[in-house]
Amino acid sequence: MAGGHPSVTRLPLFPLPDVVCFPRTELKLLVEEPRYLRMVKDLMDLEDEARWIGMVLLKPGWSQSYDGRPPVYSGGTASRLIDVENLPDGRSQILLVGDFRFELERELAGDAPYRLAEVRPVEEPWLNEHDAGIRAVRKNLTELLRLVAVETGERFPLDGAELEELAGDCAFEELVNRIASGLDLPALRKLKLLQQPLPERGLAILSILRNRQQVLDLLRPWRHLAAADPGHN
């Protein structure tokens, strides 16, 4: 693969109904199904640089054939298996780090109980981090994040330390993807963000945050009235 990606394009798949992994983000998962425990075990037998998992999203209706090969969306993220904690009850807690986006080309037959696929890496367009447009989007994203966080308090999915880290010197791709990963959006909406090129993804997230701030602005007077009502619980 180009751009520093692994030379292999064959990945074990980990399809889930409600999780979308983004490049340059961390993802913790609890693995309990035998086939995926086997996948983790097989990967841990490999060298560190060969421990790749293709995270994909299951399509609606997956529960009817979950034990087999229910349909998945073609876009996903190749992630490195970084850490495994084997629990006393037989389950495993794993840590993944997203690396690159891919399009699923075809699934492969094999003896393993888990699914294997051939994938095509999807490169992000090169961006100049010092470009005025990129700097403006970064500034607006971090400002809106802080505003929405203040308004929503504990319900906001990113804590203060994460917000400050994002507002620092992290790369634009990491900023955008960590926000996309942390926002409480439906999985299918997150998949749509993942499939957009990075510049469009950043603008889409900016639009989402602006819409949320507008709603919060509209609701602010009513929240104050509710707080002042002695009968309000």
Side-chain angles (χ1 to χ4, degrees):
M1 296 180 185
H5 296 152
S7 58
V8 295
T9 56
R10 298 167 63 138
L11 298 174
L13 295 182
F14 197 166
L16 291 172
D18 53 3
V19 175
V20 175
C21 181
F22 287 82
R24 306 193 72 166
T25 68
E26 293 186 351
L27 178 63
K28 292 182 179 180
L29 294 173
L30 182 64
V31 182
E32 50 190 345
E33 288 188 56
R35 55 179 163 172
Y36 297 121
L37 289 168
R38 167 69 182 279
M39 177 180 70
V40 170
K41 180 182 181 301
D42 288 350
L43 289 175
M44 292 304 293
D45 289 338
L46 303 176
E47 298 295 327
D48 289 355
E49 62 272 13
R51 296 172 183 170
W52 294 91
I53 295 177
M55 298 300 302
V56 289
L57 185 67
L58 288 162
K59 289 186 176 181
W62 56 269
S63 59
Q64 299 175 12
S65 57
Y66 183 67
D67 292 334
R69 292 173 175 253
V72 297
Y73 291 98
S74 62
T77 296
S79 305
R80 286 280 303 278
L81 179 62
I82 299 299
D83 188 49
V84 177
E85 179 185 358
N86 295 317
L87 304 178
D89 60 6
R91 299 181 297 173
S92 293
Q93 184 83 46
I94 66 173
L95 174 64
L96 302 174
V97 175
D99 191 276
F100 63 90
R101 302 181 300 151
F102 66 76
E103 283 290 321
L104 193 149
E105 294 285 315
R106 63 189 181 96
E107 290 204 37
L108 305 170
D111 296 330
Y114 46 87
R115 299 164 71 171
L116 298 166
E118 188 174 277
V119 304
R120 175 178 56 83
V122 178
E123 300 282 355
E124 294 287 10
W126 181 84
L127 294 179
N128 179 0
E129 297 274 345
H130 302 291
D131 177 80
I134 296 298
R135 290 167 59 188
V137 173
R138 174 192 286 274
K139 181 174 182 291
N140 288 332
L141 282 172
T142 53
E143 288 179 351
L144 279 168
L145 274 177
R146 289 194 178 102
L147 289 172
V148 174
V150 168
E151 292 282 356
T152 56
E154 294 181 355
R155 293 179 288 117
F156 193 68
L158 301 172
D159 62 30
E162 288 177 294
L163 288 177
E164 291 311 308
E165 184 180 352
L166 290 175
D169 296 328
C170 70
F172 184 72
E173 181 183 5
E174 182 178 353
L175 170 69
V176 169
N177 288 352
R178 286 179 63 180
I179 296 172
S181 179
L183 285 176
D184 53 336
L185 296 168
L188 199 53
R189 182 68 183 93
K190 289 192 176 187
L191 179 63
K192 184 177 180 181
L193 287 171
L194 176 68
Q195 293 176 319
Q196 291 179 294
L198 181 58
E200 286 83 349
R201 193 181 316 141
L203 292 174
I205 293 171
L206 187 59
S207 177
I208 290 169
L209 290 174
R210 280 175 174 160
N211 289 339
R212 292 196 176 187
Q213 184 59 44
Q214 289 172 0
V215 171
L216 290 169
D217 288 343
L218 289 172
L219 292 177
R220 188 177 299 111
W222 303 102
R223 291 205 306 275
H224 292 167
L225 287 174
D229 183 358
H232 177 73
N233 293 324

